[in-house]
Amino acid sequence: GSVVSVGRVFHDRNRLGDKPSVQRADEEGRKADALLRAAFESSTDTIFVKDLQSRYLLINAAATRDFGLSADRFIGKSDAEL
């Protein structure tokens, strides 16, 4: 069956069967993403996420404050490029 990405959760439509189950999973995925985003953005601690090549993918407001650079200066760059 086809695999459908719902946030960071993957579901096989053929295994789940009914549409309401997929809709519930989708809503739960959105809620989980919103909760993680809120924690990430409201933290007073520096938090960032890098890819396998050590490039910044996400950086929170505390990190931009601590490093003295705007988020757009970080995204897609490695430490060497900063």
Side-chain angles (χ1 to χ4, degrees), residues 6-45:
V6 180
R8 293 188 180 43
V9 180
F10 293 91
H11 302 281
D12 184 335
R13 285 183 189 239
N14 291 337
R15 262 196 1 221
L16 287 176
D18 65 319
K19 191 173 182 178
S21 292
V22 173
Q23 289 172 338
R24 278 193 304 278
D26 187 39
E27 179 62 26
E28 289 173 13
R30 279 195 297 275
K31 286 180 181 178
D33 283 349
L35 179 63
L36 288 173
R37 176 62 71 175
F40 180 82
E41 290 300 332
S42 65
S43 177
T44 57
D45 293 324

Side-chain angles (χ1 to χ4, degrees), residues 46-77:
T46 294
I47 304 172
F48 54 84
V49 177
K50 291 183 176 185
D51 64 14
L52 294 175
Q53 289 75 41
S54 296
R55 294 180 301 236
Y56 289 90
L57 299 175
L58 297 171
I59 187 162
N60 72 346
T64 62
R65 181 195 66 234
D66 292 347
F67 295 134
L69 297 171
S70 63
D72 61 330
R73 295 280 310 271
F74 282 91
I75 304 304
K77 296 187 176 120

